[in-house]
Amino acid sequence: MADFWSGFLLPLIIIVLQILAIVVPLLVGVAYLTYAERKVMGAMQLRQGPMLVGPFGLLQPMADGLKLLAKEHILPSGANRVVFYVAPMLTFFLALVAWAVIPFAEGVVLANINVGILYLFAISSLGVYGIIMAGWASNSRYAFLGGLRSAAQMVSYEVSIGLVIITVLLCVGSLNISDIVRAQTTVWFAVPLLPMFVIFFISALAETNRAPFDLPEGESELVAGFMVEYGSFPYALFFLGEYANMILMSAMTSILFLGGWLPPLNMVPFTWIPGPIWFALKIVFCLFVFIWVRATMPRFRYDQLMRLGWKVFLPFSLLWVVLTAGVLVTFGWLPK
Amino acid sequence: MIVQTIAFYVFSAILVASGVMVISARNPVHSVLFLILAFFQAAGLAVLMGAEFLAMILVIVYVGAVAVLFLFVVMMLDINFKELRSGFLQYLPFGALIGLILLVELAVVLGAWVTAPAAPQAAGAPMPPLDQATNTEALGQLLYTHYVYLFQASGIVLLIAMIGAIVLTLRSREGVRKQNVGAQLARRREEVVVIRKVPTGGGV
């Protein structure tokens, strides 16, 4: 019995506590990301944003959440019941499990696995299922079109994300995420691989279905696309999953290109601030750019979106993979 | 150890069950979803065996790309289920024959692998021990160093298959208007706008 306690039950409890320590701040972050989005967009459009619920409108996300919970829940007629409910759960689940491999500081990570970056890539490429299943199960034309658009879009942009990740991995020599951050001690990869950084960020916008690539939702033509039939809590799950995905993609950007938990310069005033705070600051910066882009850019037309993915990003990132590999081999900089 | 054993049986049980559901589910979209579940369980089994690279690649390639396109096509098919059922007995002998041939082939391959004298050598020789290299490195060594020519040859086979698919589906249609972004961006004001003074009653 003692063996069972120390060998199985105790580690299980510790892991559950660690998971809670990641998920709870993440969900609070998601709630306040919606607030930040409305405030920032308000400021950019000379409006106030939410300001009535609580001081500075700070309780607005809670009010929105409560409103969604209290709403009536509707299952469309002819909808596929199981798939209809599994889709939002899957979206939310995938947005959370990816955080298992994200390191918040040196050694502070839930699962330090050898193929961490592949795990992240795999999880982010699964996100499309929640959307495509929701689109199909709703038994509605709008939702179906949204789902199909999203499937095509995500598959296209994953290809260039994969090539960008390969370029970074060439400079690191390991698939472990902590190793990727450690390799940026001297210089962040955003400096030598600047074009890849830009491509990765734009592809991240497309991967999370954000403006200017929010065609699956396209409220002006598809009245909200794949989630048009959802309401109440399933809709809240989609919403939370989508915003958690944005935070995840920002975390990936900061890990791959902005040095994760590392300070910008390895000097005294910067090293006083602990790693997790640097990491959070970088994530917040990326999220700000996400919102900034949404407030600035018009939506892409569908064929132009496909053209950008396949005819511009794919050849360009392929060229950069070859170029980076060539430079690394020629100068003998390949990591051991 | 007991946890791993339980995990193994859970994964394999769900794998077999979802494999059965792939061929017995009434709705083809459900079949594809069960196929995806089966891929996941296989990836779980690979992780249990310590082959984490293969597990992740299985999820990325099969679940993340191939199955998405599969689902894409199956969802758009307008299938009449009754018609589909009616041909079942007609095609049963043919399908059973193909299944039987595949089974026999698998048995032959497995049998040859077990009994061949050179097999243990081939299985053990080029692989570095796992404590010296991670399985990503081991796999890379095997593919890109020991079997580089076979690897290139399989690449060429895939390239030919790709060219074949493009040649089969490519057709040039008349009268299709395509957007030429380069030409659009290269337009100058002088080429497209003409300002004329139109006299009253004279026309252009």
Side-chain angles (χ1 to χ4, degrees):
Chain A
M1 195 63 209
D3 209 38
F4 180 70
W5 168 254
S6 62
F8 177 65
L9 214 54
L10 190 65
L12 187 73
I13 292 172
I14 292 175
I15 289 176
V16 168
L17 288 179
Q18 283 172 331
I19 291 172
L20 282 179
I22 295 174
V23 168
V24 172
L26 178 67
L27 289 182
V28 174
V30 167
Y32 278 92
L33 176 59
T34 64
Y35 173 77
E37 178 168 36
R38 293 167 72 175
K39 271 291 188 196
V40 170
M41 279 185 65
M44 284 174 182
Q45 296 163 354
L46 296 179
R47 294 185 286 117
Q48 295 260 16
M51 54 178 289
L52 291 177
V53 189
F56 307 107
L58 272 173
L59 295 177
Q60 184 71 45
M62 311 298 156
D64 288 347
L66 274 179
K67 184 201 78 172
L68 278 176
L69 281 180
K71 281 208 164 183
E72 187 193 354
H73 169 77
I74 297 168
L75 181 74
S77 62
N80 195 310
R81 181 184 285 267
V82 178
V83 182
F84 188 78
Y85 288 127
V86 165
M89 285 194 254
L90 186 74
T91 306
F92 186 61
F93 166 77
L94 288 174
L96 293 187
V97 284
W99 287 86
V101 295
I102 302 275
F104 298 94
E106 180 72 53
V108 185
V109 51
L110 184 61
N112 193 12
I113 59 176
N114 275 332
V115 289
I117 194 72
L118 285 183
Y119 173 83
L120 270 187
F121 189 54
I123 295 293
S124 76
S125 69
L126 293 181
V128 65
Y129 281 110
I131 295 172
I132 202 171
M133 279 160 72
W136 178 77
S138 299
N139 192 26
S140 147
R141 293 288 175 273
Y142 286 129
F144 189 57
L145 281 175
L148 289 185
R149 279 186 176 187
S150 150
Q153 174 178 339
M154 287 180 132
V155 170
S156 320
Y157 280 86
E158 247 153 52
V159 183
S160 54
I161 284 191
L163 287 171
V164 172
I165 290 179
I166 288 175
T167 322
V168 172
L169 293 180
L170 279 173
C171 305
V172 176
S174 165
L175 294 172
N176 187 310
I177 296 184
S178 300
D179 285 345
I180 293 176
V181 175
R182 272 182 225 116
Q184 304 179 56
T185 313
T186 43
V187 60
W188 295 356
F189 286 143
V191 179
L193 299 175
L194 184 65
M196 292 278 102
F197 175 46
V198 176
I199 286 189
F200 184 84
F201 191 79
I202 298 175
S203 303
L205 285 176
E207 187 82 2
T208 47
N209 290 329
R210 288 287 297 180
F213 305 109
D214 54 349
L215 290 147
E217 287 167 45
E219 65 268 5
S220 52
E221 30 183 323
L222 292 180
V223 287
F226 62 91
M227 44 170 115
V228 65
E229 302 294 346
Y230 284 86
S232 170
F233 202 61
Y235 172 76
L237 283 183
F238 267 124
F239 198 76
L240 288 172
E242 200 162 291
Y243 278 77
N245 257 332
M246 273 169 67
I247 303 183
L248 177 71
M249 276 317 215
S250 306
M252 259 176 99
T253 315
S254 19
I255 283 170
L256 287 174
F257 292 100
L258 299 176
W261 68 77
L262 295 170
L265 289 170
N266 209 359
M267 294 192 315
V268 159
F270 296 113
T271 46
W272 283 344
I273 301 172
I277 296 195
W278 278 120
F279 190 46
L281 281 177
K282 288 165 187 172
I283 292 178
V284 168
F285 170 73
C286 293
L287 288 172
F288 176 76
V289 183
F290 266 82
I291 298 167
W292 189 7
V293 168
R294 182 178 168 197
T296 315
M297 307 289 283
R299 186 176 297 137
F300 263 58
R301 209 174 64 203
Y302 191 68
D303 61 316
Q304 290 174 336
L305 174 100
M306 284 296 154
R307 176 181 169 272
L308 186 71
W310 289 106
K311 291 190 179 171
V312 181
F313 281 2
L314 183 60
F316 188 75
S317 46
L318 196 58
L319 180 80
W320 262 81
V321 170
V322 176
L323 191 71
T324 313
V327 168
L328 288 174
V329 169
T330 314
F331 293 99
W333 292 340
L334 268 182
K336 285 294 152 208
Chain B
M1 209 54 218
I2 185 97
V3 181
Q4 273 95 321
T5 318
I6 294 171
F8 172 78
Y9 281 113
V10 169
F11 280 137
S12 357
I14 301 179
L15 175 61
V16 173
S18 51
V20 171
M21 286 307 287
V22 171
I23 48 173
S24 63
R26 209 167 275 180
N27 190 328
V29 174
H30 289 176
S31 290
V32 179
L33 293 176
F34 276 114
L35 183 69
I36 292 161
L37 187 63
F39 282 143
F40 256 111
Q41 306 309 315
L45 287 178
V47 168
L48 280 184
M49 284 189 287
E52 71 250 17
F53 183 77
L54 277 183
M56 293 304 153
I57 291 297
L58 182 72
V59 173
I60 293 172
V61 174
Y62 283 94
V63 183
V66 175
V68 171
L69 298 179
F70 230 70
L71 199 58
F72 202 100
V73 173
V74 169
M75 274 182 3
M76 300 222 273
L77 292 177
D78 190 22
I79 301 174
N80 187 346
F81 297 114
K82 275 194 181 148
E83 233 169 74
L84 206 67
R85 300 263 136 198
S86 67
F88 182 70
L89 277 180
Q90 188 187 342
Y91 295 117
L92 185 65
F94 192 58
L97 185 69
I98 292 178
L100 194 71
I101 291 173
L102 279 177
L103 192 69
V104 170
E105 278 178 351
L106 274 177
V108 167
V109 168
L110 204 67
W113 184 250
V114 171
T115 53
Q121 254 182 328
M127 173 93 176
L130 272 179
D131 53 334
Q132 283 170 29
T134 64
N135 70 48
T136 314
E137 281 167 346
L139 212 61
Q141 285 275 327
L142 210 62
L143 267 185
Y144 302 129
T145 310
H146 292 277
Y147 293 118
V148 62
Y149 296 117
L150 289 176
F151 179 75
Q152 296 287 351
S154 60
I156 289 172
V157 171
L158 285 177
L159 180 69
I160 291 170
M162 190 173 85
I163 294 172
I166 293 173
V167 168
L168 281 179
T169 52
L170 186 74
R171 56 195 174 121
S172 55
R173 283 181 295 175
E174 293 296 317
V176 178
R177 293 164 60 166
K178 283 184 182 155
Q179 183 185 21
N180 187 345
V181 175
Q184 283 181 350
L185 292 177
R187 285 202 325 177
R188 296 267 143 252
R189 189 166 180 273
E190 304 86 60
E191 296 165 22
V192 285
V193 180
V194 181
I195 297 176
R196 289 199 190 149
K197 194 150 181 80
V198 184
T200 314
V204 182

